[in-house]
């Protein structure tokens, strides 16, 4: 059974974030901004429904979705695109797949102890 990720996770560190964003074809200005922001995460996980709030000093970003159900995600505030997104479990990892104008986009979240990893 997958873990319940409900909690508030404070930013601790980032390693290799610029290279990760470069692999996703994020432009250099946005990469530098993302690496500067150091976001916290708040997750509310109730059964098959999740709300993930990414909290920064500049702007918050909220994903509100049902696990395993595709939805339209508006990433306009992040990088100007819209995509079809599905978030589901792969073992103990939460996996996001984004389908749209840019290929191979998405992320994984998992816990190691009390730390949330991306």
């Amino acid at each position: 059974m997958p873990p319940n990720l409900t909690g508030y996770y404070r930013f601790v560190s980032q390693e290799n974030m610029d290279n990760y964003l470069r692999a996703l074809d994020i432009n250099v200005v946005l990469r530098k901004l993302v690496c500067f922001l150091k976001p916290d995460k708040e997750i509310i996980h109730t059964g098959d429904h999740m709300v993930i709030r990414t909290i920064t000093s500049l702007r918050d970003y909220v994903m509100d979705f049902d696990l395993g159900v595709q939805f339209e995600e508006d990433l306009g505030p992040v990088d100007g695109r819209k995509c079809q997104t599905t978030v589901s479990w792969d073992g103990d990892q939460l996996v996001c797949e984004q389908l749209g104008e840019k290929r191979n986009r998405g992320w994984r979240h998992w816990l190691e102890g009390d730390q949330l990893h991306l």
Side-chain angles (χ1 to χ4, degrees):
M1 175 175 221
N4 186 308
L5 298 180
T6 295
Y8 190 95
Y9 302 91
R10 296 206 181 274
F11 179 86
V12 175
S13 68
Q14 62 186 359
E15 296 175 27
N16 211 21
M17 181 60 86
D18 189 65
N19 287 333
Y20 168 71
L21 296 171
R22 184 183 322 233
L24 291 175
D25 195 30
I26 303 293
N27 73 60
V28 67
V29 174
L30 189 53
R31 286 197 323 260
K32 298 301 177 193
L33 180 63
V34 168
C35 290
F36 173 77
L37 288 177
K38 300 174 178 27
D40 288 348
K41 295 266 187 180
E42 179 182 36
I43 299 176
I44 300 168
H45 179 181
T46 309
D48 285 338
H49 186 80
M50 295 186 88
V51 178
I52 299 177
R53 193 169 137 225
T54 303
I55 303 158
T56 72
S57 57
L58 183 62
R59 168 183 299 158
D60 294 353
Y61 178 73
V62 178
M63 288 181 72
D64 188 334
F65 58 90
D66 291 318
L67 291 162
V69 178
Q70 189 176 76
F71 63 97
E72 182 176 83
E73 184 176 11
D74 183 357
L75 291 161
V78 178
D79 64 4
R81 59 190 177 93
K82 289 186 180 181
C83 59
Q84 294 300 311
T85 298
T86 305
V87 182
S88 56
W89 290 107
D90 180 8
D92 287 346
Q93 294 189 5
L94 192 62
V95 178
C96 171
E97 294 182 57
Q98 298 170 331
L99 303 174
E101 62 193 61
K102 300 218 177 188
R103 296 175 46 88
N104 300 320
R105 289 286 182 100
W107 48 258
R108 288 178 178 261
H109 280 18
W110 69 94
L111 288 175
E112 289 182 15
D114 61 352
Q115 291 187 340
L116 181 69
H117 291 259
L118 168 65

